[in-house]
Amino acid sequence: MNEIKALLSNARRRLEMTTFIGVLHVVAIVLAALLLGLVLADRAPGESFVAWPWIVPALCGASLLAAVLLWSRRRLSELQVALAVDDRLDLREKLSTALHCHQRDDAFARAAVEDAVSTARDPRVRETLRRRFKVVAPRQWWISPVVVAAAILLSFLPQADLFAREEPIDEQAGREAQKEADEAIETVVRTIQEKPELSAELADLLGDLDKDGQTARPLEKPEEVKREALKKVTELNKRLDEIISGEKGKTAKAVREMLAKLEAPESGLAKELAEALERGDFDAAKKALEKMAQQAESGNMSEEQKQQLAQQMQQMADQLQQLAGQQQQLQQALQQAGLDPQLANNPQALQQAIQNAGNLNQQQK
C-alpha cells in the first residue's frame, strides 16, 4: 500500500494547492474591493482619516487567515483523492477499490490490492498524474491586481473635500485687498505712461490693467485678489524683460553707449543737448532741441550766438558721423571675419563671439 499512498499523496498536494489558489483568488478580490472602497472614502473629506500603516497589514493578514480557514474546510479525504485519480487517469476504480479492501484478507481483496500496487508502480501512471493534476491559476486571476492598482493610483489624488462648507467672505478684508491691488497696479501704469516708448510697447497690457482697475468686479476672497494682482504684475514684468532683452533693447543700449562718447561743448544749448545724448536721456534731448528751435524762431539770438550754435551743432554732427563710420567699419570687419555684423549692436555678445571665434588669431581679435 505504500506505493498507492505515495501516488495519492502526490495527487492530494496538487489538488489542495489548486484549491488554495482558487480560494485565495476569491478572498483577494473581496480584499481589493474593500481597499478600493476605503481609498474612495478616504479621499472624499478634507483630511485623510484612514490609518494606512495599520489598515493595510491588518487587511492582508485577515485575508490570508480567511483563505486558510476556507481552504481547510475544503480538504479532500484519501478516498476522495483516490476517486479523483481513478477518474482523471481512467483507472476503473483500481485505487479506490484497493483502499476499501486493503484490510480484508480474502482472495478478491488481495487481488485488488496487488493490481492497484502494480498500477501505482507504473512510471507511465506517475507521468500521466503529473500532467493531469497540474497546479493552475484561476482564469480571471488578473481582477484583484487591477483593482489594487486602481486603489493605489486613486490614493495619490488630493483630498476632494466634498463635505466642506463655503466659508463667508470677509467683505472688509476683501475691499482692503482690492484697494491695495488697485493702487499697486495704478502705480505701475502711471510709471510706464510717463515713458512714451514703453507706453507704446505695452499699450495692450496697460489697457487691460486700466480696465481691471475701473470696472466693478464681483466680491472675491483677499487671497484671490492678491493672487490676481501678482499675476498681472508678473505678466508686466515679463513683457518688460522681453523689451529690454530683445533686439530693440539691445540696439537702444548700443546707441546709448555710442552717444556716451560724444564730447559736449563747453556752454550753450548745444551743451544741454550733448549732455542729454551722453546720458541716453532722449526726452531731455528732445526738450533741448525744442528750446533751441524756439529761441531761433523768436529772433532773440544774435548773429554771433547763431554762428556759435551752428558751429557746435556741426561739431556734434561730425562726431556722430565719425561714430557711425566706426560702427560701419566694425560691421564690415565682422562680416569679413565670418561673424554676424549685427553683433556690433551688442557689445557683450560681440566680445563673447570674438573670444569663441576659432578662425581668428590673437592679433585679429
Side-chain angles (χ1 to χ4, degrees):
M1 291 295 294
N2 291 333
E3 288 82 358
I4 296 175
K5 291 183 179 295
L7 185 67
L8 294 178
S9 178
N10 189 5
R12 177 196 289 275
R13 288 195 301 271
R14 293 171 179 270
L15 286 172
E16 290 183 348
M17 182 61 70
T18 301
T19 302
F20 181 75
I21 292 176
V23 171
L24 188 61
H25 168 64
V26 175
V27 174
I29 292 177
V30 175
L31 172 66
L34 180 60
L35 184 64
L36 181 61
L38 279 176
V39 170
L40 291 175
D42 188 53
R43 296 294 96 184
E47 296 182 359
S48 174
F49 65 90
V50 178
W52 293 110
W54 297 96
I55 293 295
V56 172
L59 288 176
C60 293
S63 62
L64 185 60
L65 180 60
V68 171
L69 291 175
L70 291 174
W71 167 76
S72 63
R73 298 179 61 181
R74 296 187 180 187
R75 297 192 69 183
L76 300 176
S77 65
E78 192 174 44
L79 181 58
Q80 289 174 322
V81 175
L83 290 172
V85 174
D86 287 338
D87 180 56
R88 294 191 187 185
L89 272 61
D90 195 18
L91 298 180
R92 300 179 182 181
E93 288 76 35
K94 290 182 181 181
L95 300 181
S96 57
T97 301
L99 288 179
H100 276 292
C101 300
H102 76 281
Q103 293 182 347
R104 290 164 46 186
D105 198 24
D106 57 275
F108 175 77
R110 289 196 299 270
V113 171
E114 289 179 1
D115 186 26
V117 170
S118 177
T119 301
R121 288 175 177 175
D122 189 348
R124 292 174 298 177
V125 174
R126 295 178 181 275
E127 176 63 27
T128 305
L129 184 142
R130 284 193 291 269
R131 285 189 286 105
R132 297 187 181 182
F133 283 83
K134 289 182 178 180
V135 179
V136 294
R139 291 182 179 179
Q140 298 178 338
W141 60 267
W142 48 266
I143 294 179
S144 54
V146 169
V147 177
V148 171
I152 293 174
L153 291 176
L154 289 175
S155 67
F156 289 100
L157 294 177
Q159 299 296 136
D161 202 6
L162 299 179
F163 309 107
R165 295 181 179 179
E166 185 69 22
E167 297 181 359
I169 299 176
D170 188 346
E171 297 185 5
Q172 183 63 26
R175 291 192 184 95
E176 291 179 358
Q178 190 71 67
K179 183 179 179 181
E180 293 177 2
D182 289 342
E183 289 177 354
I185 293 176
E186 287 174 3
T187 301
V188 174
V189 172
R190 188 165 54 252
T191 302
I192 294 177
Q193 287 177 343
E194 292 175 356
K195 302 292 183 182
E197 297 84 358
L198 290 179
S199 181
E201 290 289 344
L202 302 173
D204 55 340
L205 188 55
L206 289 178
D208 293 339
L209 293 176
D210 284 338
K211 182 179 179 181
D212 291 341
Q214 294 171 2
T215 57
R217 282 162 287 184
L219 192 61
E220 298 175 326
K221 295 181 179 179
E223 296 80 7
E224 296 176 354
V225 173
K226 294 178 181 179
R227 190 182 307 114
E228 185 66 21
L230 179 60
K231 179 180 177 182
K232 294 172 183 175
V233 175
T234 302
E235 176 66 19
L236 181 61
N237 186 46
K238 181 180 177 182
R239 292 285 296 275
L240 285 172
D241 184 64
E242 290 176 356
I243 293 174
I244 295 173
S245 303
E247 291 300 324
K248 291 184 179 180
K250 293 177 182 178
T251 304
K253 182 179 179 182
V255 170
R256 289 188 178 91
E257 291 178 353
M258 183 187 299
L259 293 177
K261 301 176 183 179
L262 280 174
E263 294 181 4
E266 296 180 358
S267 61
L269 295 176
K271 180 180 180 181
E272 296 181 14
L273 174 61
E275 289 178 347
L277 292 175
E278 288 179 11
R279 296 193 306 269
D281 190 348
F282 297 110
D283 289 337
K286 181 180 178 182
K287 292 178 181 179
L289 283 173
E290 291 174 351
K291 188 175 179 181
M292 291 166 60
Q294 291 174 359
Q295 288 193 9
E297 291 176 358
S298 65
N300 295 330
M301 297 180 65
S302 64
E303 290 298 328
E304 183 179 356
Q305 289 175 333
K306 291 181 180 180
Q307 186 177 1
Q308 182 182 5
L309 178 59
Q311 185 178 2
Q312 292 175 350
M313 294 296 292
Q314 183 61 45
Q315 290 176 355
M316 289 179 58
D318 293 341
Q319 291 184 49
L320 290 173
Q321 178 100 17
Q322 183 179 1
L323 291 174
Q326 292 176 0
Q327 188 80 352
Q328 186 175 5
Q329 292 175 7
L330 178 57
Q331 291 178 351
Q332 292 176 355
L334 289 172
Q335 188 172 8
Q336 292 174 0
L339 299 176
D340 185 5
Q342 297 302 321
L343 290 172
N345 296 328
N346 191 343
Q348 294 181 351
L350 172 60
Q351 182 179 3
Q352 187 66 32
I354 292 176
Q355 291 176 354
N356 297 336
N359 59 334
L360 300 178
N361 57 37
Q362 193 62 34
Q363 184 178 1
Q364 290 173 323
K365 292 182 180 181

